[in-house]
Amino acid sequence: MKNKKPNALALAAALNCVLLSAAQAQSEADRNAAVTTLPVVTINASADASAQGLSPSYAGGQVARGGRAGILGSKDNLDTPFSITAYTNELIQDRLAKSVGEVLQNDASVRVARGFGNFQEAYFVRGFILSSDDIAYNGLYSLLPRQYIATELFERVEVLRGASAFLMGASPNGGGIGGNINLLPKRAPNEALTRLTVGGGDGGQGNVAMDVARRFGSDKATGLRVNAAYRDGGTAIADEKNKLGLFAVGMDWRSRDVRLSGDIGYQDNKLERSRTSVTLGFGLTALPALPEADSNFAQPWTYSNERDVFGTLRGEWDVAQDLTAWAAWGMRRNDEANSLANLTVTNAANGDGNTSRFDNTRQEQIGTGEIGLRGKLRTGSIGHEWVASAAYFKAKNHAAYIWDYFNTQATNLYAPTYSPLPAFTAGAFKGNNLADPGLTAVTELSSFALGDTLSLLDGSLLVTLGARYQKLSVDEYAYDTQALTPYDMDRTSPVFGAVYKFSRQLSAYANYIEGLSRGSTIAAAGGQPERMLPPYVSKQKELGLKYDAGRIGFGAAAFSTDKPRALAIGQAAPQGEDEHRGLELNVYGEASRGLKLLGGITWLDTTQRDTGSAATEGKRTLGVPKTQANLGVEWEVAAISGLALDGRLSYTGGVYADSANTIAVPDWTRFDIGARYLFELKGTLLTARARIDNVANKKYWASSGGYPDQGYLVIGAPRTVNLSLSADF
């Protein structure tokens, strides 16, 4: 277990030496011979099924100039009354990011956690949890794998901060209160692309990926892009293994008035002996000390398998000069199987605890779509950009489980006891049939939205007004008996946004927008009939400034969001709300030629209000720090052509692992470094990358609270080395 990191570090050091030697040799050759500078390779993605296309990259290439504001379409940052950051594929590649969570490590308003169940990614956005189930793909919810999404499946990661019920509709699983994440598909660029990437890292991990794209026809109207990837091996955590295979095809066609695109993809992700979250046992009031960063207390027989197939179609038609119609549809089919044994610590002083076997299977069928009209017109001196849209989402969930809760196996956080696979006892809790999981829920969301952005004062003032009528219908079916508990409610969610442009470089904005999630259903009791509570409505108010200095941009936002608390145990109605007040500062672009910056800082003041309990009243929200900050710097070394070095500092303040704020989790700081060298070999452009995350091998609790009041502590990854070599043919 202890010799894996030195080997990986030695490999990284060796690669860095090779890169530096090659770079120095190239630099010497440049001085002594007339060598032509390597051409800059620019790949401009085509327009997909959208006249707007991808928002152009900002100076430095790490983020875009704007992003998608839901049904309002892609907007330049200075023209939208919302805070949006779109991280580019260039950043994804250069930071060797493998998942959505690894991309979002660059965002100061987001922190990555782990959702309920097995090893699902979850994200705290402005302090509110967003599960990976609620991620959108090209504007449609829940089409990509719900637990882990490999970066080979998407072109960009867009973060829309703040509530978004009007912009995107209510998310299927109740997220989207603090923000939404939208992934953009890969499309064939204007230039032919054939890229082979091989890589490796700690634990014997190896990977290979192929990215091929072509445009066809005399006018290059038809595009085809194929991505395939395979990963296999261990990780920086002892005895942990991961195997992933994926294949995806993206197609598009465009004419003068019509644009079409489609995707079909497959991902098969298998985890073995992945390190689990740490749950704190009942009555525990102290936090256990951290084990070694690379330690693994997972049982050897545990696994988590997820297989997904998805597809989308999108079309756009310019009906007239100022009128465009669009339609989109997507589907996903999912199969999951897990055998888990999460660790519950019962003694914080010595790390004693136990596990119990929990097996489950799950199948999910998703169908979702939208249609809409978008147009422009003028009434006197006022310009209008209006939009009308209808959307529909349906999910059918099948699940089964066996949980042998009382049949525990003793273990220890620091000196684990590895047990053989325990047989289920007669007292195990069961629901449905693992081999053929039964229907547990049918979720249907439908909505209609109207919006208008008014242009006033010769375009200096933009005012957005709109509303979305949303119907939420959820039929839940009890395990085994299939007893039905329905939920059928509706709500209209308004929006107000305003942007005032002081100049072409500076704008101020304000917005009021709501978030929406399903309310609780109260079972019949005490002579009272079953009751459905109205949807929970969160309310956000935000003020901000945006400044574009040409090659470097800045953003500032002050916001407040009030979110009703869900139904508490033993209560007959929701009790109180969570108030989040915050301030965000962001920077991106180039401070000078060859010196890129990407980072920010977020301050959060969170409070539980009117909870009905003295233990929680006025306390901070579970798992949310007061301060979180990132600063990424990349330096293109002018003296050595093709060489770039980067570093990223991440800080997360202390949090609480319980709503009563009795268990404090300390703050942490992490430093990551990387190197990239671009060179040519016999006419082939090569890019070598090396990365070391958590350079100091710091031990830290990365997150707490992926599931309320269960601890759900996640240990941060140890020092992790990754290497890759890409060839563009």
Side-chain angles (χ1 to χ4, degrees):
M1 180 174 85
K2 299 295 182 184
N3 61 0
K4 291 182 181 178
K5 288 187 183 61
N7 288 343
L9 286 172
L11 183 59
L15 179 62
N16 281 329
C17 289
V18 171
L19 295 182
L20 187 57
S21 297
Q24 290 172 337
Q26 178 68 39
S27 182
E28 184 68 23
D30 288 346
R31 290 191 294 269
N32 297 332
V35 178
T36 302
T37 302
L38 286 172
V40 176
V41 177
T42 303
I43 297 175
N44 297 313
S46 65
D48 191 24
S50 167
Q52 300 166 318
L54 283 177
S55 181
S57 295
Y58 194 76
Q62 298 181 328
V63 301
R65 298 195 63 89
R68 175 175 293 178
I71 62 170
L72 299 179
S74 294
K75 298 290 184 182
D76 185 88
N77 273 332
L78 268 63
D79 293 338
T80 177
F82 307 101
S83 176
I84 304 172
T85 301
Y87 297 99
T88 65
N89 197 255
E90 180 178 335
L91 177 73
I92 294 169
Q93 291 184 69
D94 288 344
R95 298 301 174 266
L96 295 180
K98 297 180 180 179
S99 71
V100 175
E102 292 185 17
V103 178
L104 294 178
Q105 288 176 356
N106 297 284
D107 196 303
S109 64
V110 182
R111 283 298 180 262
V112 181
R114 182 174 289 168
F116 179 67
N118 38 10
F119 304 100
Q120 175 181 20
E121 282 191 345
Y123 320 95
F124 280 104
V125 187
R126 290 185 170 178
F128 294 104
I129 200 74
L130 173 73
S131 73
S132 54
D133 299 68
D134 286 337
I135 285 181
Y137 182 59
N138 211 10
L140 299 177
Y141 283 121
S142 304
L143 290 182
L144 293 181
R146 78 180 195 96
Q147 296 209 43
Y148 179 90
I149 308 171
T151 52
E152 288 86 355
L153 291 175
F154 53 85
E155 177 74 22
R156 286 185 179 175
V157 178
E158 294 182 329
V159 180
L160 169 62
R161 300 177 186 87
S164 57
F166 165 77
L167 296 172
M168 299 186 66
S171 58
N173 297 280
I177 304 302
N180 258 302
I181 297 169
N182 182 48
L183 307 181
L184 294 182
K186 289 185 173 182
R187 292 286 174 259
N190 295 327
E191 298 83 11
L193 171 67
T194 304
R195 177 175 295 147
L196 174 66
T197 302
V198 295
D202 284 285
Q205 179 75 211
N207 59 80
V208 60
M210 177 65 78
D211 189 355
V212 179
R214 296 289 187 275
R215 301 208 69 84
F216 303 97
S218 58
D219 55 359
K220 305 295 184 182
T222 302
L224 178 68
R225 189 160 183 176
V226 178
N227 277 266
Y230 180 76
R231 305 176 197 163
D232 195 7
T235 74
I237 297 170
D239 302 317
E240 187 177 85
K241 289 184 169 32
N242 173 219
K243 179 186 292 186
L244 179 140
L246 69 82
F247 182 80
V249 178
M251 301 153 285
D252 69 282
W253 175 82
R254 62 196 185 208
S255 69
R256 187 185 67 176
D257 298 325
V258 176
R259 293 161 294 278
L260 303 173
S261 69
D263 301 272
I264 187 166
Y266 168 83
Q267 178 180 287
D268 187 8
N269 190 42
K270 299 180 186 298
L271 306 177
E272 293 182 17
R273 205 172 180 177
S274 287
R275 183 166 67 187
T276 73
S277 304
V278 175
T279 300
L280 302 179
F282 180 77
L284 213 62
T285 58
L287 192 71
L290 280 155
E292 293 299 317
D294 66 343
S295 65
N296 192 354
F297 38 82
Q299 294 298 320
W301 42 267
T302 55
Y303 68 88
S304 179
N305 297 337
E306 180 189 23
R307 184 171 63 251
D308 294 86
V309 177
F310 69 90
T312 68
L313 290 172
R314 182 174 288 270
E316 192 173 88
W317 174 34
D318 296 332
V319 181
Q321 181 177 354
D322 290 324
L323 179 63
T324 298
W326 86 86
W329 180 258
M331 54 73 64
R332 178 171 64 90
R333 300 293 180 265
N334 161 270
D335 283 284
E336 295 179 32
N338 308 278
S339 188
L340 309 172
N342 287 359
L343 172 63
T344 298
V345 172
T346 55
N347 188 322
N350 63 14
D352 281 346
N354 59 66
T355 65
S356 59
R357 182 181 173 185
F358 177 80
D359 286 16
N360 73 298
T361 56
R362 177 186 172 103
Q363 295 175 351
E364 192 172 29
Q365 296 90 40
I366 302 289
T368 181
E370 63 176 1
I371 57 174
L373 289 171
R374 183 179 291 115
K376 297 180 180 180
L377 57 88
R378 296 194 67 84
T379 56
S381 62
I382 301 175
H384 300 265
E385 289 189 18
W386 60 270
V387 62
S389 173
Y392 178 75
F393 174 93
K394 184 174 183 178
K396 296 179 69 176
N397 295 324
H398 297 74
Y401 73 92
I402 303 179
W403 188 11
D404 215 351
Y405 178 77
F406 294 108
N407 181 28
T408 59
Q409 291 78 50
T411 187
N412 186 278
L413 178 64
Y414 314 112
T417 299
Y418 300 119
S419 306
L421 177 65
F424 287 117
T425 65
F429 298 104
K430 300 179 181 180
N432 292 340
N433 181 359
L434 288 176
D436 184 20
L439 183 66
T440 55
V442 176
T443 300
E444 290 187 81
L445 309 176
S446 57
S447 67
F448 304 91
L450 290 172
D452 188 12
T453 298
L454 291 74
S455 178
L456 307 163
L457 305 178
D458 294 325
S460 295
L461 177 63
L462 303 175
V463 177
T464 298
L465 301 170
R468 182 185 292 266
Y469 169 79
Q470 182 98 45
K471 186 175 181 181
L472 299 87
S473 176
V474 183
D475 289 338
E476 293 188 337
Y477 297 88
Y479 285 90
D480 298 322
T481 67
Q482 294 291 287
L484 173 63
T485 301
Y487 183 88
D488 192 0
M489 300 289 283
D490 58 76
R491 164 79 182 184
T492 299
S493 301
V495 67
F496 167 80
V499 176
Y500 184 77
K501 295 191 282 187
F502 296 96
S503 68
R504 296 178 63 182
Q505 290 78 38
L506 178 65
S507 68
Y509 72 91
N511 69 59
Y512 171 83
I513 192 168
E514 296 181 351
L516 189 66
S517 58
R518 171 195 165 192
S520 299
T521 299
I522 302 176
Q528 296 292 324
E530 181 180 271
R531 288 183 293 151
M532 293 183 292
L533 297 179
Y536 299 142
V537 178
S538 60
K539 300 177 180 181
Q540 175 190 282
K541 297 174 284 292
E542 181 175 357
L543 297 170
L545 288 171
K546 300 175 183 179
Y547 180 68
D548 184 350
R551 300 195 65 83
I552 191 166
F554 302 91
F559 62 88
S560 67
T561 305
D562 299 335
K563 172 186 174 293
R565 294 170 64 85
L567 189 68
I569 296 174
Q571 294 177 335
Q575 185 71 52
E577 61 186 11
D578 291 335
E579 295 180 349
H580 288 206
R581 308 287 183 265
L583 176 64
E584 295 169 341
L585 303 176
N586 295 297
V587 61
Y588 51 91
E590 287 187 320
S592 61
R593 290 286 182 178
L595 184 63
K596 304 176 185 179
L597 297 179
L598 180 61
I601 185 168
T602 298
W603 291 279
L604 287 166
D605 179 18
T606 67
T607 309
Q608 302 172 66
R609 298 288 189 198
D610 301 322
T611 65
S613 169
T616 58
E617 180 63 30
K619 302 296 178 66
R620 287 188 59 82
T621 305
L622 169 75
V624 182
K626 290 184 178 179
T627 306
Q628 49 195 48
N630 290 64
L631 179 60
V633 179
E634 181 180 304
W635 175 43
E636 294 179 351
V637 183
I640 306 176
S641 178
L643 180 65
L645 308 173
D646 72 84
R648 181 177 62 205
L649 187 69
S650 302
Y651 170 78
T652 300
V655 303
Y656 288 102
D658 65 325
S659 294
N661 291 185
T662 60
I663 305 176
V665 181
D667 63 351
W668 56 269
T669 303
R670 199 182 91 174
F671 187 53
D672 313 318
I673 60 173
R676 178 181 73 252
Y677 182 55
L678 184 73
F679 61 103
E680 191 175 19
L681 181 64
K682 295 183 178 180
T684 300
L685 187 64
L686 300 172
T687 306
R689 296 178 175 92
R691 185 154 195 84
I692 306 176
D693 290 326
N694 192 6
V695 174
N697 201 31
K698 183 175 180 63
K699 299 188 294 184
Y700 64 99
W701 297 106
S703 68
S704 173
Y707 192 71
D709 282 321
Q710 297 294 316
Y712 255 68
L713 294 152
V714 178
I715 299 174
R719 181 189 297 121
T720 303
V721 177
N722 283 295
L723 315 169
S724 79
L725 180 65
S726 295
D728 287 86
F729 298 99

